[in-house]
């Protein structure tokens, strides 16, 4: 067991295999489940949740752990964060955002209400309140993902020295990245209300 758990890739592969077995096992064991539309909807929703946990988890790591702790770290130790930890975390952060949005759009499409939620229920014949509720969450997520890819990541590349830039541009880029990351943190709680509450509040 220690050999398995010592290797992250092996651990993740086994975890994914167990998830697939869980899905497929129940689909094979119960005719009421099967490999119908509901099965693929469940797979899409699971993928959406996994990507979202990666994205928001890292967003909160940056804002609750890394950013507040950086002033306490001795200057000679800060390069370890900037050169090794932050770039790797930002890789999973930005791709977690991209896959969260992609899988969220897939879920809405499979549910048959993609246009309705993106229009905030304004063109829906029914369930307008539910569509507007989750639609607000989707638009908040889209704004947050835009911030990740087109504001936070470009500025972090400058701040971390991953691209050529003037020395005085680095502090400004770091502050911009921090402010937009903090903006995403501000939006994350209401966004999660919409995502988590839509099915419960509206049945």
């Amino acid at each position: 067991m220690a050999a398995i758990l010592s290797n992250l890739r092996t651990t993740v592969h086994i975890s994914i295999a167990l998830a697939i077995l869980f899905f497929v096992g129940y689909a094979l064991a119960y005719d009421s489940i099967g490999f119908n539309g509901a099965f693929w909807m469940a797979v899409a929703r699971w993928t959406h949740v996994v990507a979202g946990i990666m994205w928001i988890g890292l967003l909160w790591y940056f804002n609750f752990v890394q950013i507040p702790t950086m002033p306490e770290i001795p200057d000679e130790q800060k390069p370890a964060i900037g050169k090794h930890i932050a770039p790797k975390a930002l890789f999973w952060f930005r791709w977690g955002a991209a896959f969260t949005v992609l899988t969220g759009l897939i879920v809405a499409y499979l549910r048959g209400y993609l246009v309705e939620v993106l229009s905030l229920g304004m063109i829906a014949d029914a369930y307008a309140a539910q569509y507007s509720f989750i639609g607000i969450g989707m638009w908040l997520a889209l704004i947050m993902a835009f911030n990740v890819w087109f504001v936070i990541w470009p500025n972090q590349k400058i701040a971390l020295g991953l691209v050529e830039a003037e020395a005085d541009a680095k502090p400004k880029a770091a502050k911009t990245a921090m402010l937009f990351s903090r903006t995403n943190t501000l939006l994350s709680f209401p966004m999660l209300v919409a995502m988590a509450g839509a099915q419960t509040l509206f049945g």
Side-chain angles (χ1 to χ4, degrees), residues 38-76:
F39 173 83
W40 295 110
M41 169 62 66
V43 171
R45 191 181 296 276
W46 173 82
T47 307
H48 180 55
V49 169
V50 169
I53 290 171
M54 177 66 76
W55 177 21
I56 302 303
L58 283 169
L59 172 68
W60 289 349
Y61 158 75
F62 286 127
N63 283 275
F64 288 99
V65 179
Q66 183 171 304
I67 293 172
T69 306
M70 285 298 287
E72 304 170 11
I73 299 175
D75 289 341
E76 65 273 14

Side-chain angles (χ1 to χ4, degrees), residues 133 191-203:
F133 189 85
M191 181 272 292
L192 289 170
V193 167
M195 297 304 175
Q199 304 304 319
T200 304
L201 293 175
F202 300 95

Side-chain angles (χ1 to χ4, degrees), residues 102-157:
L102 175 63
T103 53
L105 294 172
I106 290 171
V107 168
Y109 174 78
L110 292 175
R111 290 294 302 269
Y113 57 40
L114 178 59
V115 175
E116 288 82 355
V117 295
L118 288 177
S119 67
L120 301 178
M122 290 185 288
I123 63 169
D125 294 329
Y127 311 114
Q130 182 177 8
Y131 293 151
S132 65
F133 189 85
I134 196 169
I136 290 170
M138 288 183 70
W139 277 107
L140 290 176
L142 288 168
I143 292 167
M144 292 167 64
F146 179 91
N147 288 345
V148 168
W149 277 94
F150 299 105
V151 182
I152 296 171
W153 173 233
N155 279 282
Q156 283 287 17
K157 286 193 289 185

Side-chain angles (χ1 to χ4, degrees), residues 20-36 39:
I20 293 171
L21 286 173
F22 196 24
F23 265 128
V24 173
Y26 266 77
L28 292 173
Y30 296 95
D31 293 336
S32 60
I33 299 177
F35 296 98
N36 55 20
F39 173 83

